[in-house]
Amino acid sequence: MNRVDLNADMGESFGPWKMGDDATLLKTVTSANIACGAHAGDPDVMVATMRTAHANGVGIGTHPGFADLQGFGRRRMSVPRASLQNSIRYQVAASVGVAKSIGARVRHLKLHGALANMASEDDTLARDLFEAALSVDPDLIVMVLCATAQEEAVRALGCSYAGEIFADRAYNDDATLVDRSLPGAVIHDPQIAGPRMVEMVQAGAIITESGKRIKTSIDTICLHGDTPTAVEIARSVRTALEGADIAVRQFDGRRH
Amino acid sequence: MNRVDLNADMGESFGPWKMGDDATLLKTVTSANIACGAHAGDPDVMVATMRTAHANGVGIGTHPGFADLQGFGRRRMSVPRASLQNSIRYQVAASVGVAKSIGARVRHLKLHGALANMASEDDTLARDLFEAALSVDPDLIVMVLCATAQEEAVRALGCSYAGEIFADRAYNDDATLVDRSLPGAVIHDPQIAGPRMVEMVQAGAIITESGKRIKTSIDTICLHGDTPTAVEIARSVRTALEGADIAVRQFDGRRH
Amino acid sequence: MNRVDLNADMGESFGPWKMGDDATLLKTVTSANIACGAHAGDPDVMVATMRTAHANGVGIGTHPGFADLQGFGRRRMSVPRASLQNSIRYQVAASVGVAKSIGARVRHLKLHGALANMASEDDTLARDLFEAALSVDPDLIVMVLCATAQEEAVRALGCSYAGEIFADRAYNDDATLVDRSLPGAVIHDPQIAGPRMVEMVQAGAIITESGKRIKTSIDTICLHGDTPTAVEIARSVRTALEGADIAVRQFDGRRH
Amino acid sequence: MNRVDLNADMGESFGPWKMGDDATLLKTVTSANIACGAHAGDPDVMVATMRTAHANGVGIGTHPGFADLQGFGRRRMSVPRASLQNSIRYQVAASVGVAKSIGARVRHLKLHGALANMASEDDTLARDLFEAALSVDPDLIVMVLCATAQEEAVRALGCSYAGEIFADRAYNDDATLVDRSLPGAVIHDPQIAGPRMVEMVQAGAIITESGKRIKTSIDTICLHGDTPTAVEIARSVRTALEGADIAVRQFDGRRH
């Protein structure tokens, strides 16, 4: 039987500012990428989110990004490589230890925002960042964007990983995402998102806008938490998958 | 034979700003209290300081404080207890994981600045903060200011601890420090600091300004790193101790 | 004819995080207290909020607080007096110049959060902070909590000021606010808030929980922007005032 | 008679961390570029530095940069144009108002670090940033790197400006600076810096490493404050200029 994991970014509130409806999403997803206090999140938010994820049996992930709170880690920054690696070490360390302090543990790593985009284009960068994370915890399962430089990096490292596709983004024929400024780039309709994911998981391939199929290992589907229809899309995807006999379960991590 | 540890605060540089002469002090001390990025320090500084401490065989400590960079953690803040505990969890976690990432480990905990002062006056606060730290790593040796509420807290917790006195501060008869604004409160003369520490360690007591002796367990002596005579005082203390056949060695941690 | 101003805190979003419904509230209030980037707000939020306020003919106020983003300026901090004054200078300066850069101007000052609470209890602190603000712009109208140390301070300074009461908070007999933890401290019912404000403005007095009347100069009513019923309460208050022939207009500032 | 201004970056300390020897440099320079609290500086540092500059008759400049404290504004960031302009507005506003609050005023603007480098390569960016600054205070004299896109921008704007060269950096034949990683890029020898500046000012030209002369308007010479020989180089340059009958005086600002 086919199976797939559902993941979403969480723990992105900060101080008095709320973002997303984590409590509701945590009833639908199987893995949560929890911000580390650099681009979003704070120690209170981290502890609360990890506690709820743990109580719901949702896998906890560390989700480091650029230390740029105002920009939410979405602005590219020219940071020296060693400094970026140290930032990753710090953020992953904070996640791992905070999880431990509440009796939970961090299972996976996912890069955030501009850092994730940069690592998708540059396998050396991806490898350097993943190595920094693994130096804190070698058992982390590295979540990678399918068919990007991130995937090349984990294959080269030989570490455990999980391949990810997006529920709500259209793909170009080279497996990159259709630019957000173009029509159809973001899928807002829960009725479309679900069947589309079923099709890709059953095909074991990314299906691009033009209909092209790019074979890849789909271990997890990314659901966004910060859009108006986030919760609806999440439920629609889960219902569609289950209706097609695709088990929604945490990934185990694969190696090549 | 008597023995004692020498500790100093380190890793308090931030970005382009340098503080103290860590490299030199690391040749004299046996334990280093390394800032966690909240009141001082950043991931680059943490990694570099931990690497040098580790290479010098100096024990690494996590040194959390208020998340107030401009105030260097020296300004008291009214933070809800649970939020303070989460901040401690986060900072200790960052230290523990960053140390692990470079092949080292965190041996001890020491509170910084205003947080340390508040915990010296309030054993419930001290206990709550120490518990938060121990929830990340139960093997941490908690460094406490001798004969304060911090010491009461570790005795109540039953955790491993090390008692600390200051090399360069005069004491009142209730074991509190003479206020910095008073004459003689801070000892700047390396010729006085050394013999004074020998006397206290041999007596197993804090000797106050008035000459009163307060029996206590002196496991470590705090040397300050950010004063003009810091390095000289550190060397003077070490030389005086060794000249009096007091071994300068890392503490093991004690329990009562 | 009686008249009164309606004010609300605004511009408290930060980066990607939204707070309150400023656009809607700006159609009801006559004065907006706009965060300065220390406890909340950022340059983008300040510019956008000031532009909308200006376009709506709403008076722009500078709203400085403790530089504590995570705590939203609600946590008391022990900051040296001169340093607090410099922080006020900086924040007020930022507001004044940003307003000027978009063709608007800052009319009034209102302290935020813990800083406001501290200044309500300590007239020397209040005076020091108001003087710091007036050193940037001597024409600022200082908004003060009626019948508190803030009011004493502006009277001593002889500067222009406006007295403020809260639409949604119950008062003790000494003109302090009923503690938020007590029942009835916060008024959530728009049907009560409106008539209550009419009564106070017509009486020229704070009416306490016990029914006591404390004569004071009510120039403006504070509406909160961050509660679920904020917009409803705001409209209810405005409608009730206008129905009682109380003109809702910006304050001019008074001197004693 | 020839004349030229001497400028240096100042007010770059932060909280407990000191940078440079501002008090000494302020006896040598005629203009000070004072950090605005984004890449360096804080309200206390700004007030203290402006007070000393004012007392020494040194012209006060606002010196905005990327809001990246750890990176000291030296890391390029991809910030949306409007957001960058708002950041400039905010920082310039803070400078202008803080100066006013101590009875001084801001005369000039100079961009800092990575922002300055980016504006030197892109005249549209330079113009957008200068316009943002001028929207706060249209009388600011804009300090530009001679013969770069910054100079093109001020000419297009028609605003008052002052052209700047570096005392301690070698130039390529296209008027860009020799990369810091190359030998001879930075001039550390005070004996060389002085005569070199005399030659350029008398020639009214940048003299490149190869000996090429690039005619330009040299109104001010940048002295760095954060190198070990900063104070020596500053004095050497001033002494050499005065010895060659070049008056060291604040620029007036020029227009073309």
Side-chain angles (χ1 to χ4, degrees):
Chain A
M1 192 180 87
N2 275 321
R3 61 183 269 197
V4 76
D5 170 273
L6 295 179
N7 81 79
D9 296 352
M10 304 234 169
E12 299 185 325
S13 296
F14 178 78
W17 293 279
K18 301 301 162 210
M19 185 172 290
D21 181 359
D22 289 4
T24 302
L25 263 184
L26 280 166
K27 291 173 185 156
T28 302
V29 300
T30 42
S31 293
N33 319 307
I34 299 177
C36 311
H39 74 276
D42 63 41
D44 294 334
V45 170
M46 283 175 74
V47 166
T49 311
M50 285 183 176
R51 278 204 173 115
T52 311
H54 189 56
N56 282 271
V58 171
I60 292 173
T62 175
H63 193 44
F66 279 118
D68 170 25
L69 199 63
Q70 193 196 333
F72 198 59
R74 285 181 176 153
R75 309 190 290 204
R76 294 190 179 208
M77 295 176 69
S78 292
V79 179
R81 187 62 49 93
S83 197
L84 260 187
Q85 290 183 297
N86 290 338
S87 179
I88 295 289
R89 279 190 180 97
Y90 183 91
Q91 295 183 56
V92 172
S95 296
V96 166
V98 168
K100 189 179 167 201
S101 81
I102 60 157
R105 78 178 184 88
V106 172
R107 289 188 83 233
H108 73 274
L109 162 82
K110 178 175 168 177
L111 298 178
H112 171 82
L115 202 55
N117 294 339
M118 288 162 70
S120 298
E121 299 161 6
D122 176 349
D123 66 304
T124 305
L125 172 62
R127 199 163 59 183
D128 289 342
L129 300 181
F130 295 156
E131 277 187 324
L134 293 165
S135 70
V136 177
D137 181 351
D139 296 328
L140 290 174
I141 303 168
V142 178
M143 203 184 274
V144 298
L145 294 176
C146 283
T148 69
Q150 288 189 26
E151 186 170 339
E152 290 171 52
V154 288
R155 287 169 183 264
L157 283 171
C159 66
S160 181
Y161 76 92
E164 177 191 41
I165 60 170
F166 286 101
D168 65 353
R169 293 294 300 276
Y171 282 91
N172 294 311
D173 280 359
D174 63 353
T176 59
L177 300 172
V178 174
D179 193 279
R180 276 177 183 275
S181 62
L182 297 176
V186 181
I187 292 147
H188 298 290
D189 184 347
Q191 300 314 314
I192 292 173
R196 188 168 165 268
M197 286 300 100
V198 169
E199 197 182 357
M200 291 203 202
V201 172
Q202 286 177 334
I206 290 170
I207 303 175
T208 71
E209 261 200 327
S210 75
K212 183 180 163 190
R213 293 181 171 222
I214 304 169
K215 280 280 172 192
T216 188
S217 306
I218 300 176
D219 300 307
T220 184
I221 294 170
C222 182
L223 302 164
H224 283 107
D226 54 354
T227 59
T229 54
V231 169
E232 274 179 273
I233 287 187
R235 285 180 183 146
S236 146
V237 168
R238 180 158 191 148
T239 304
L241 291 167
E242 290 173 341
D245 275 339
I246 298 168
V248 175
R249 281 224 313 264
Q250 277 171 33
F251 46 77
D252 295 319
R254 67 173 67 232
R255 288 177 202 263
H256 285 272
Chain B
M1 192 179 87
N2 275 321
R3 62 182 269 198
V4 76
D5 170 272
L6 296 179
N7 80 78
D9 296 353
M10 304 233 170
E12 299 185 326
S13 295
F14 178 77
W17 293 279
K18 300 302 162 209
M19 186 172 289
D21 181 0
D22 290 4
T24 302
L25 263 183
L26 280 167
K27 291 172 185 158
T28 301
V29 301
T30 42
S31 292
N33 318 307
I34 299 176
C36 312
H39 73 275
D42 62 42
D44 294 332
V45 170
M46 286 175 73
V47 166
T49 310
M50 286 182 174
R51 279 204 172 116
T52 311
H54 189 55
N56 283 271
V58 171
I60 293 173
T62 175
H63 193 45
F66 279 118
D68 170 24
L69 198 64
Q70 194 196 332
F72 199 60
R74 286 183 176 150
R75 310 190 290 203
R76 293 189 180 210
M77 296 177 67
S78 293
V79 179
R81 186 61 49 93
S83 197
L84 260 187
Q85 291 184 295
N86 291 337
S87 179
I88 295 288
R89 279 188 181 98
Y90 182 90
Q91 294 184 56
V92 172
S95 296
V96 166
V98 168
K100 190 179 167 202
S101 80
I102 60 157
R105 78 179 183 88
V106 172
R107 287 189 86 232
H108 74 274
L109 163 82
K110 177 175 169 178
L111 298 177
H112 171 81
L115 203 55
N117 294 338
M118 290 163 69
S120 298
E121 299 161 6
D122 177 347
D123 66 303
T124 306
L125 172 62
R127 199 164 58 184
D128 289 344
L129 299 181
F130 295 156
E131 278 187 324
L134 294 165
S135 71
V136 176
D137 181 353
D139 296 327
L140 290 174
I141 302 169
V142 178
M143 203 184 277
V144 298
L145 293 177
C146 283
T148 69
Q150 288 189 26
E151 186 171 340
E152 289 172 52
V154 287
R155 287 167 182 267
L157 283 171
C159 65
S160 181
Y161 76 92
E164 176 191 43
I165 60 169
F166 286 101
D168 65 353
R169 293 294 299 274
Y171 281 92
N172 294 311
D173 279 358
D174 63 352
T176 58
L177 299 173
V178 174
D179 194 279
R180 276 176 184 275
S181 62
L182 297 176
V186 181
I187 292 147
H188 298 290
D189 185 347
Q191 301 312 316
I192 292 175
R196 186 167 168 269
M197 285 300 99
V198 169
E199 198 182 357
M200 291 203 200
V201 172
Q202 286 177 335
I206 290 170
I207 303 176
T208 71
E209 261 200 329
S210 74
K212 183 180 163 190
R213 291 178 174 227
I214 304 168
K215 281 279 173 192
T216 188
S217 305
I218 300 176
D219 299 309
T220 183
I221 295 171
C222 182
L223 301 165
H224 283 109
D226 55 354
T227 61
T229 54
V231 169
E232 275 179 88
I233 287 187
R235 285 180 184 150
S236 146
V237 168
R238 181 158 191 150
T239 302
L241 290 167
E242 290 175 341
D245 276 339
I246 298 168
V248 175
R249 282 224 312 263
Q250 277 173 33
F251 46 77
D252 294 321
R254 67 173 66 231
R255 288 176 203 265
H256 285 271
Chain C
M1 191 179 88
N2 276 320
R3 62 181 269 196
V4 75
D5 170 274
L6 296 178
N7 80 79
D9 296 352
M10 304 233 168
E12 298 185 326
S13 295
F14 178 77
W17 292 280
K18 300 301 162 210
M19 185 173 290
D21 181 358
D22 289 4
T24 302
L25 264 183
L26 280 167
K27 291 174 184 155
T28 301
V29 301
T30 43
S31 292
N33 319 307
I34 299 176
C36 311
H39 73 275
D42 63 41
D44 294 332
V45 170
M46 285 176 73
V47 166
T49 312
M50 286 183 175
R51 278 204 173 115
T52 310
H54 189 56
N56 283 271
V58 172
I60 293 172
T62 176
H63 193 44
F66 279 117
D68 169 25
L69 198 64
Q70 193 196 333
F72 199 59
R74 285 182 176 152
R75 310 190 289 204
R76 293 189 180 210
M77 295 175 69
S78 293
V79 179
R81 187 60 49 93
S83 197
L84 260 187
Q85 290 184 295
N86 291 338
S87 179
I88 295 288
R89 278 189 181 99
Y90 183 90
Q91 294 183 57
V92 172
S95 296
V96 166
V98 168
K100 191 180 166 202
S101 81
I102 59 157
R105 78 179 184 88
V106 173
R107 286 189 86 231
H108 73 275
L109 164 82
K110 178 175 169 177
L111 297 177
H112 171 81
L115 202 56
N117 294 339
M118 289 162 70
S120 297
E121 299 161 6
D122 177 347
D123 66 304
T124 306
L125 172 62
R127 201 164 57 184
D128 289 343
L129 299 181
F130 295 156
E131 277 187 324
L134 294 165
S135 71
V136 177
D137 181 351
D139 296 328
L140 290 174
I141 302 169
V142 178
M143 204 184 275
V144 298
L145 294 176
C146 283
T148 69
Q150 287 189 27
E151 185 170 341
E152 290 172 51
V154 287
R155 287 169 182 266
L157 282 172
C159 66
S160 181
Y161 77 93
E164 176 191 43
I165 60 169
F166 286 100
D168 64 354
R169 292 294 298 275
Y171 282 90
N172 295 311
D173 279 359
D174 63 353
T176 59
L177 300 173
V178 174
D179 193 280
R180 276 176 182 276
S181 62
L182 298 175
V186 181
I187 293 146
H188 298 289
D189 185 347
Q191 300 312 315
I192 292 173
R196 187 167 165 269
M197 286 300 101
V198 169
E199 198 182 357
M200 291 203 200
V201 172
Q202 285 176 336
I206 289 169
I207 303 175
T208 71
E209 260 199 329
S210 75
K212 183 179 162 192
R213 291 178 175 226
I214 303 168
K215 280 279 171 191
T216 188
S217 306
I218 300 176
D219 300 308
T220 183
I221 295 170
C222 182
L223 302 164
H224 283 108
D226 53 355
T227 60
T229 53
V231 169
E232 273 179 273
I233 287 188
R235 285 182 183 145
S236 145
V237 168
R238 181 156 191 149
T239 303
L241 291 167
E242 290 173 342
D245 276 340
I246 298 168
V248 175
R249 282 225 311 264
Q250 277 171 32
F251 47 76
D252 295 320
R254 68 172 66 231
R255 289 176 202 262
H256 284 271
Chain D
M1 193 179 88
N2 275 320
R3 62 182 270 196
V4 76
D5 171 272
L6 296 180
N7 80 79
D9 295 354
M10 305 232 169
E12 298 185 326
S13 295
F14 178 77
W17 293 278
K18 300 301 163 210
M19 186 172 289
D21 181 359
D22 289 4
T24 302
L25 264 184
L26 281 166
K27 290 173 186 158
T28 302
V29 300
T30 43
S31 292
N33 319 307
I34 299 177
C36 310
H39 73 276
D42 62 41
D44 295 332
V45 170
M46 284 176 73
V47 166
T49 311
M50 286 183 175
R51 279 203 172 116
T52 310
H54 190 55
N56 282 272
V58 171
I60 293 173
T62 176
H63 193 45
F66 279 118
D68 170 24
L69 199 63
Q70 193 196 332
F72 199 59
R74 286 183 175 149
R75 308 190 290 203
R76 294 190 179 209
M77 296 177 67
S78 293
V79 179
R81 186 62 48 92
S83 198
L84 260 187
Q85 290 184 296
N86 291 337
S87 179
I88 295 287
R89 279 189 179 98
Y90 183 90
Q91 295 184 57
V92 171
S95 297
V96 166
V98 168
K100 191 180 165 199
S101 81
I102 60 157
R105 79 180 183 86
V106 172
R107 289 188 85 231
H108 74 274
L109 163 83
K110 178 174 168 177
L111 298 177
H112 171 82
L115 203 54
N117 294 339
M118 288 162 71
S120 298
E121 300 162 4
D122 176 347
D123 66 304
T124 306
L125 172 61
R127 199 164 59 185
D128 288 343
L129 299 181
F130 295 156
E131 277 187 324
L134 294 164
S135 71
V136 177
D137 181 351
D139 296 328
L140 290 174
I141 302 169
V142 178
M143 203 184 276
V144 297
L145 294 176
C146 283
T148 69
Q150 287 190 26
E151 186 171 338
E152 289 171 52
V154 287
R155 286 168 183 265
L157 283 170
C159 66
S160 181
Y161 77 92
E164 176 191 42
I165 59 169
F166 286 101
D168 64 354
R169 294 294 299 276
Y171 282 90
N172 294 312
D173 280 358
D174 64 352
T176 59
L177 300 173
V178 174
D179 194 280
R180 276 176 183 276
S181 61
L182 297 177
V186 182
I187 292 148
H188 298 290
D189 185 348
Q191 300 313 315
I192 292 174
R196 188 167 165 268
M197 286 299 101
V198 170
E199 197 182 357
M200 291 203 200
V201 172
Q202 285 178 335
I206 290 170
I207 304 176
T208 70
E209 260 199 328
S210 74
K212 183 180 163 191
R213 294 181 172 225
I214 303 168
K215 280 280 171 190
T216 188
S217 306
I218 301 176
D219 299 309
T220 184
I221 295 170
C222 183
L223 302 164
H224 283 107
D226 53 354
T227 59
T229 54
V231 169
E232 274 179 89
I233 287 187
R235 285 181 183 148
S236 146
V237 168
R238 181 155 190 152
T239 302
L241 291 166
E242 290 174 341
D245 276 340
I246 299 168
V248 174
R249 282 225 312 266
Q250 276 171 33
F251 47 76
D252 295 320
R254 68 172 66 231
R255 288 177 203 264
H256 285 272

